[in-house]
């Protein structure tokens, strides 16, 4: 849902602060219900993609294009108050948390004073590589554009991630993306 811009890093943190899975699920559902479309469709598609086909089929319904989508097509990107680099980073969220090994990237970001040593310890406190990458992404989404640029430099330093850096940098940001993220931040 992060990749589709229907929940923000703040939403994710709010959801994950609950220790019990049931409470996390309820918090996610509260957000989906409050946001309606497109969060609802992304949620239903996510259920289907993760093997909950029966639930997804029970929940699937047809929405006409939302007011936000229609208005987003007529407004320019400058109307929305979200830095493009944050949208690009969030649209590539899943790819980053599943594909990178964070150690060298974190070291680079600490050496460039984008992250502190304490930030590095917080990232390392994650139990799994994906959890560590989520912690890293959570921090990057709160940094300025210089942090984003240093992150791309760190990716490019490792030839394995050069294509990912290019993909993130060239990720298209549409007015619909901005409208969706704007709705998510309300």
């Amino acid at each position: 849902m992060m990749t589709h811009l229907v929940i923000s890093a703040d939403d994710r943190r709010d959801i994950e602060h609950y220790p019990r899975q049931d409470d996390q699920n309820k918090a996610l559902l509260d957000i989906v219900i409050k946001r309606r479309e497109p969060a609802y469709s992304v949620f239903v598609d996510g259920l289907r993609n993760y093997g909950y086909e029966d639930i997804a089929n029970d929940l699937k319904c047809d929405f006409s294009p939302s007011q936000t989508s229609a208005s987003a097509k007529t407004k320019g990107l400058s109307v929305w108050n979200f830095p493009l680099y944050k949208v690009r980073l969030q649209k590539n969220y899943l790819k980053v948390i599943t594909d990178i090994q964070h150690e060298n990237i974190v070291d680079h970001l600490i050496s460039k004073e984008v992250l502190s040593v304490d930030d590095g310890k917080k990232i390392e406190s994650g139990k799994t590589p994906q959890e560590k990458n989520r912690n890293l992404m959570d921090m990057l989404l709160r940094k300025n554009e210089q942090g984003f640029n240093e992150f791309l430099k760190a990716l490019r330093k490792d030839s394995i991630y050069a294509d990912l850096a290019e993909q993130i940098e060239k990720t298209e940001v549409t007015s619909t993306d901005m409208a969706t993220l704007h709705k998510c931040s309300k």
Side-chain angles (χ1 to χ4, degrees):
M1 293 184 76
M2 291 276 297
T3 304
H4 294 281
L5 308 174
V6 295
I7 66 170
S8 67
D10 290 335
D11 294 330
R12 185 175 190 90
R13 187 179 301 105
D14 290 345
I15 292 165
E16 290 179 343
H17 96 271
Y18 293 102
R20 293 177 356 112
Q21 185 67 46
D22 288 348
D23 295 331
Q24 290 179 6
N25 292 346
K26 183 183 179 320
L28 174 60
L29 283 173
D30 288 344
I31 290 169
V32 168
I33 290 166
K34 182 176 130 191
R35 302 245 169 88
R36 301 179 185 213
E37 267 309 297
Y40 185 80
S41 292
V42 172
F43 176 72
V44 171
D45 289 343
L47 287 171
R48 183 171 286 106
N49 292 339
Y50 287 96
Y52 299 99
E53 188 80 27
D54 292 341
I55 296 171
N57 289 337
D58 289 344
L59 293 175
K60 191 67 182 167
C61 62
D62 215 5
F63 282 96
S64 59
S66 71
Q67 191 91 16
T68 303
S69 295
S71 65
K73 290 176 182 157
T74 62
K75 293 183 179 181
L77 293 177
S78 62
V79 172
W80 311 107
N81 191 23
F82 292 99
L84 296 180
Y85 69 91
K86 286 188 179 188
V87 178
R88 287 184 174 111
L89 197 55
Q90 191 163 329
K91 284 182 80 170
N92 289 282
Y93 184 86
L94 185 61
K95 187 98 174 128
V96 171
I97 67 164
T98 57
D99 290 0
I100 69 166
Q101 291 184 7
H102 68 283
E103 293 88 356
N104 292 338
I105 294 164
V106 171
D107 290 346
H108 175 85
L109 295 173
I110 290 172
S111 74
K112 296 298 182 181
E113 298 180 355
V114 170
L115 298 177
S116 68
V117 173
D118 286 341
D119 291 336
K121 289 178 184 174
K122 183 177 179 193
I123 291 166
E124 286 301 321
S125 72
K127 293 179 179 129
T128 66
Q130 281 190 340
E131 206 174 300
K132 292 174 184 184
N133 289 341
R134 278 191 186 106
N135 290 342
L136 171 61
M137 286 293 286
D138 186 48
M139 290 177 190
L140 285 172
L141 286 165
R142 289 179 166 45
K143 299 295 179 184
N144 59 22
E145 192 164 8
Q146 186 237 346
F148 171 77
N149 291 331
E150 288 300 333
F151 175 68
L152 292 181
K153 285 180 189 175
L155 289 175
R156 285 187 176 109
K157 282 174 72 173
D158 189 334
S159 61
I160 296 172
Y161 304 126
D163 288 342
L164 177 58
E166 194 71 16
Q167 175 185 326
I168 292 169
E169 189 171 51
K170 293 187 188 281
T171 296
E172 180 183 9
V173 177
T174 66
S175 54
T176 302
D177 294 335
M178 295 297 247
T180 302
L181 199 55
H182 177 73
K183 186 176 180 183
C184 164
S185 69
K186 285 184 175 182

